Amino acid sequence: SHVSPPVLMNTLEKAMAYAPPFIYSKVTGIESPTGVKAEGWLISVGGTPKEIMRHDPEFTYRRLLDAAAMAKKLGAQIMGLGAFTKVVGDAGATVAKRAPLPITTGNSYSASGALWAAHDALLRMNLLPKPKGKGRVKFKAMVVGATGAIGSVCARLLARAAEEVYMVSPETAKLLALKESILLESPDAKLFLSAHADKDIGDMDMVVTATSGAGKKVLDIMKVKPGCVITDVARPLDLPPSEVAKRPDVLVIESGEIQLPGDVQMKNIGLPKGVAYACLAETIVLALEGRFENFTVGRAIEWEKVREIYQLGLKHGMQLAAISGVNGPFSDADIARVRELALAERARRALAEVPAPQPARKAPARKRKPTGSAA
């Protein structure tokens, strides 16, 4: 049994921030292909993260510790913080220290899910040449915020998959160190370093943004190539919906949702039946694996953990359920539409770049008719 992250319920009023935690839903029917079963509870701690953030961190810690005490009483063996990870001062470390049961933030699987979705989207957009055998896919990828915890994980993953990886960060020394470290693992990787995204962004097939520069503009979406897949793994997001809306010919991914194994019964959390947010799925994977430990705590996300939770997820039958953007999951039709717009925009740009035909050199100069031009 396990407890999932608190559910966001936007309709709750400010008063809710003071109400004691309550069980929003029991979760049953989770069953791994290995035969292991799990059940748990979704506990709400009242107000939305925004609401609770208006108070001091101690207020938030107490709410989460109350929820943890409740979870323990219910028989849970691990609890995930989900959406509250982003708002609690040190991302779960304090809660983990003081809680009566192991705590995980869910961030490792969130990073994994977003990258899983990015890879999937790149294939579904069908704009790249198919790789021969096990070779690298011919695409260029950029990681903005490459020296951060998640950014460096993304860069390591992409260095194994992409033909060229551009790593962007203002921290030059850290960038150089990251490059050295990646070349030890993937000696054949082609890596390029830059302090700014906009220099090479027009050539990229995939861009991952993972900065901690909340609210700062990290890239100019107008410079991105048509058909580019942008994955925003920063929390809060690097690309607000207003920016995303400017480029219908680009696929902007915010997260990958996870289909849970078994015949899962739980109250609606705003996703299709049996589908969970990746941060919630992390808690479930750990429960199925019997790993009752503080798996992801603190701000740093480790590449080893991202890889491990991804592999454990596959072992326990987790599947990528949906690729979600700022407005929720993309359907096949949505992706097909982005692809069509991208192809049309590429064709338009190709035409615009064709140089005007030059007049032949030795043409006789006499009797020239005036020529009209049509745009």
Side-chain angles (χ1 to χ4, degrees):
S1 57
H2 73 284
V3 168
S4 82
V7 174
L8 301 189
M9 301 163 74
N10 300 335
T11 49
L12 297 172
E13 284 133 48
K14 292 183 183 178
M16 281 302 297
Y18 295 96
F22 63 92
I23 298 172
Y24 173 69
S25 174
K26 187 162 186 191
V27 183
T28 57
I30 300 164
E31 185 171 358
S32 162
T34 63
V36 180
K37 298 180 180 181
E39 59 171 32
W41 298 266
L42 299 177
I43 294 181
S44 172
V45 295
T48 61
K50 227 187 213 138
E51 204 45 68
I52 285 181
M53 262 185 92
R54 298 214 167 106
H55 303 269
D56 59 295
E58 190 50 42
F59 177 87
T60 310
Y61 297 146
R62 279 202 308 274
R63 320 269 329 143
L64 295 171
L65 289 165
D66 285 350
M70 183 178 195
K72 176 100 176 148
K73 236 188 234 130
L74 288 165
Q77 289 159 284
I78 187 166
M79 176 167 113
L81 297 181
F84 283 85
T85 308
K86 317 192 256 296
V87 303
V88 182
D90 59 4
T94 302
V95 176
K97 268 195 213 91
R98 291 159 55 182
L101 79 174
I103 298 289
T104 192
T105 62
N107 277 349
S108 295
Y109 215 19
S110 289
S112 175
L115 292 168
W116 195 355
H119 178 257
D120 211 59
L122 209 58
L123 298 176
R124 283 170 65 183
M125 288 281 282
N126 200 13
L127 293 168
L128 297 171
K130 293 274 174 281
K132 292 181 181 64
K134 286 259 175 228
R136 288 171 187 276
V137 183
K138 278 198 179 310
F139 75 100
K140 294 182 182 185
M142 175 181 280
V143 180
V144 184
T147 50
I150 302 189
S152 57
V153 168
C154 299
R156 278 179 209 284
L157 279 173
L158 287 167
R160 296 173 171 204
E163 200 172 40
E164 295 179 9
V165 178
Y166 291 72
M167 305 192 300
V168 178
S169 165
E171 304 179 286
T172 316
K174 277 191 178 175
L175 262 187
L176 288 164
L178 178 63
K179 180 178 179 176
E180 292 308 306
S181 136
I182 292 177
L183 289 172
L184 289 174
E185 293 173 14
S186 313
D188 59 339
K190 282 193 190 145
L191 306 173
F192 301 88
L193 309 181
S194 174
H196 303 286
D198 290 349
K199 187 162 76 75
D200 304 293
I201 204 160
D203 295 332
M204 298 300 129
D205 301 293
M206 181 192 278
V207 177
V208 177
T209 76
T211 78
S212 48
K216 287 197 201 77
K217 192 165 179 183
V218 298
L219 61 92
D220 182 352
I221 199 165
M222 297 317 289
K223 291 189 172 156
V224 172
K225 173 176 174 176
C228 181
V229 171
I230 303 179
T231 304
D232 198 340
V233 289
R235 298 289 180 269
L237 296 169
D238 277 338
L239 290 167
S242 55
E243 284 286 288
V244 175
K246 295 176 185 170
R247 290 296 300 272
D249 59 329
V250 167
L251 193 68
V252 180
I253 296 170
E254 195 176 284
S255 59
E257 267 71 69
I258 306 289
Q259 178 75 47
L260 304 174
D263 179 18
V264 181
Q265 304 297 324
M266 65 176 165
K267 248 193 237 172
N268 183 4
I269 56 169
L271 294 173
K273 181 177 157 37
V275 175
Y277 297 104
C279 58
L280 162 50
E282 173 167 313
T283 317
I284 294 172
V285 170
L286 294 169
L288 289 168
E289 184 64 14
R291 291 279 292 273
F292 302 118
E293 60 188 69
N294 297 335
F295 188 77
T296 316
V297 290
R299 288 254 173 254
I301 290 173
E302 299 150 48
W303 155 235
E304 285 306 322
K305 294 251 163 111
V306 173
R307 185 164 60 184
E308 185 179 15
I309 197 81
Y310 172 71
Q311 284 164 344
L312 288 175
L314 293 180
K315 169 183 170 181
H316 290 294
M318 301 281 164
Q319 289 172 333
L320 182 67
I323 298 173
S324 288
V326 285
N327 302 314
F330 290 110
S331 65
D332 288 339
D334 293 333
I335 291 178
R337 189 165 57 244
V338 175
R339 182 175 191 270
E340 275 163 34
L341 290 170
L343 288 170
E345 178 60 18
R346 283 183 186 186
R348 192 191 67 75
R349 290 186 184 190
L351 278 174
E353 278 168 21
V354 173
Q358 297 299 312
R361 285 238 175 96
K362 290 184 180 159
R366 294 159 297 152
K367 287 198 284 197
R368 289 186 64 182
K369 289 182 182 154
T371 54
S373 81

